[in-house]
Amino acid sequence: PVSAPVPHSPGQLCHNLTWVGQTSHGGQAFAWLDGNAMEHTDIVSQQVLIPNGNASAALNFWLHIDSKEVSKTRRFDTLTVAVYSTTGRLLRNIANFSNLDSAAGYQLHTVDVSAWIGQTVVIKFLGKEDGSLATSFVLDDVTLYVTPPAG
């Protein structure tokens, strides 16, 4: 596997020793998007080259979602995982989550990014929270895996 860790914007990078309420999946650091119970957007992103000559490529990430939203049917707070060009053009949303996906502990998610083999793209995690109850999107261990061709 080719590892492409996602660095985090100031304010979203957290450390187990200094943040109360959330912990990492692995290691000591994690990204904590939203969870403020106020209208705003948090973003973490990374430009990455998906190496040419591979049969497939996948983005793995561990995500923990906590929500104080009480509705079991309405999406109030969202996290979108998207691929952008290096010029900032949205290429495709590749995963979507919301307060409705709240669950205990981290969940592993794998998204196919084979369409961008041989290209440099920006992987962006975009959390949007409304102005009422808090939803936290806690992200850790983001890794790009490539599979070489058979033979």
Side-chain angles (χ1 to χ4, degrees), residues 4-10 12-13 31 43-47 123 125 139 142:
V6 176
H8 312 288
S9 305
Q12 279 101 30
L13 180 61
I43 300 171
V44 294
S45 64
Q46 172 67 48
Q47 182 173 300
I123 306 293
F125 294 85
L139 179 66
V142 179

Side-chain angles (χ1 to χ4, degrees), residues 47-97:
Q47 182 173 300
V48 61
L49 168 63
I50 302 176
N52 201 11
N54 288 287
S56 65
L59 182 72
N60 282 4
F61 55 93
W62 289 87
L63 179 63
H64 173 64
I65 303 172
D66 281 328
S67 184
K68 298 199 184 304
E69 298 286 0
V70 293
S71 174
K72 301 299 180 199
T73 59
R74 292 193 56 206
R75 295 168 52 107
F76 294 105
D77 308 313
T78 61
L79 177 71
T80 301
V81 185
V83 178
Y84 286 79
S85 71
T86 56
T87 61
R89 184 173 54 91
L90 173 64
L91 300 175
R92 188 179 309 152
N93 288 334
I94 56 175
N96 294 289
F97 304 94

Side-chain angles (χ1 to χ4, degrees), residues 97-119:
F97 304 94
S98 76
N99 51 282
L100 299 178
D101 299 306
S102 178
Y106 279 92
Q107 308 294 319
L108 175 62
H109 298 278
T110 301
V111 183
D112 185 12
V113 292
S114 299
W116 300 282
I117 288 175
Q119 299 177 46

Side-chain angles (χ1 to χ4, degrees), residues 15-49:
H15 194 277
N16 287 346
L17 299 177
T18 57
W19 287 90
V20 177
Q22 300 291 345
T23 59
S24 66
H25 173 262
Q28 296 295 313
F30 56 96
W32 188 347
L33 288 80
D34 301 319
N36 299 305
M38 63 180 176
E39 188 173 331
H40 76 285
T41 300
D42 282 335
I43 300 171
V44 294
S45 64
Q46 172 67 48
Q47 182 173 300
V48 61
L49 168 63

